Amino acid sequence: MLTRRHFIITSAALFSAPLATDASAQDAVTFEFDASVVRHERAGRNPWGLHERFMPTRVAHREGLRPGDIHVDPVAKYLYHIGSDGTAMRYGVAVGRSGMQSPGTFTINRKEAWPSWTPTANMIRREPHVYAQFAGGMAGGPDNPLGARALYLYRGGADSMLRIHGTPQPWSIGTSASSGCVRLVNDHIMQLYEAVPLGTRAILHSPFR
């Protein structure tokens, strides 16, 4: 079983198809939405009021980790993007609530800017008062639960329904708040999105040490 002790020395949703539109129109929408994102370079180092430890930080990692991989520590609420120089970029995240975490090794086979979202049948059945109203799907945008960017996690060639994504709720970072996905502040997922190519391996570690 993967555990958080294995890696760092510091320290479920169905989705509708992208909306059909021409590339120039999509680029214009993406640009408009991107302009709405609170970015640290415009609004100060920590405009979201996060605990300082959840701000992006470069840290050392133990030897033997594969450069380019992503590791998610659900206990400390950190995501690490492993570099090639013995360091990793660490981001604060929110993870799945108790019983909704899915440890394992995945591959990022799809990336989307301002993705649409549809709750799974399980989510609707479990919390109909929250999710039933979105059964028909929700277009991408600033209020969408997936935020500005999404990295889609696949296992064995199949969509796991798990995502690493942004959020319009930055106050949730550092908590166990989701139905299984990993969420970052929109500014931070936009940084990670640009740094992570398709085919990247993502390891979600067990919450049990």
Side-chain angles (χ1 to χ4, degrees):
M1 177 180 290
L2 294 169
T3 71
R4 68 186 296 267
R5 295 174 63 87
H6 291 160
F7 62 112
I8 301 295
I9 63 174
T10 62
S11 346
L14 291 171
F15 295 81
S16 59
L19 297 176
T21 184
D22 63 81
S24 60
Q26 183 60 51
D27 287 347
V29 169
T30 297
F31 179 81
E32 178 183 355
F33 286 160
D34 281 0
S36 72
V37 174
V38 175
R39 308 300 299 269
H40 74 276
E41 65 267 27
R42 296 198 303 257
R45 170 170 161 73
N46 185 4
W48 314 279
L50 301 179
H51 190 288
E52 186 63 25
R53 77 181 183 92
F54 294 128
M55 292 296 292
T57 306
R58 186 161 292 280
V59 298
H61 66 75
R62 72 165 176 82
E63 294 182 1
L65 297 183
R66 190 168 78 174
D69 281 356
I70 288 173
H71 292 264
V72 177
D73 178 347
V75 178
K77 311 299 189 298
Y78 289 143
L79 179 150
Y80 299 87
H81 185 211
I82 306 302
S84 58
D85 60 353
T87 70
M89 278 303 300
R90 186 186 75 191
Y91 299 90
V93 298
V95 298
R97 301 192 296 273
S98 178
M100 295 186 183
Q101 299 176 11
S102 300
T105 300
F106 305 84
T107 303
I108 296 170
N109 283 356
R110 179 182 167 197
K111 299 168 56 176
E112 293 290 343
W114 298 103
S116 58
W117 169 75
T118 304
T120 66
N122 283 340
M123 292 169 69
I124 294 171
R125 182 167 55 252
R126 188 171 56 243
E127 298 178 88
H129 59 291
V130 176
Y131 296 114
Q133 61 185 314
F134 303 113
M138 183 178 184
D143 296 325
N144 189 290
L146 296 187
R149 302 287 189 274
L151 307 174
Y152 292 68
L153 305 186
Y154 284 64
R155 182 157 52 185
D159 189 350
S160 71
M161 307 304 169
L162 297 174
R163 315 289 184 244
I164 298 172
H165 62 82
T167 178
Q169 301 176 335
W171 56 87
S172 67
I173 301 303
T175 71
S176 299
S178 77
S179 294
C181 294
V182 178
R183 64 175 75 159
L184 293 77
V185 168
N186 278 332
D187 182 36
H188 300 167
I189 190 62
M190 291 170 76
Q191 296 175 33
L192 184 65
Y193 182 94
E194 295 301 322
V196 172
L198 292 176
T200 294
R201 188 170 68 168
I203 298 94
L204 307 187
H205 290 262
S206 171
F208 304 105
R209 299 170 187 254

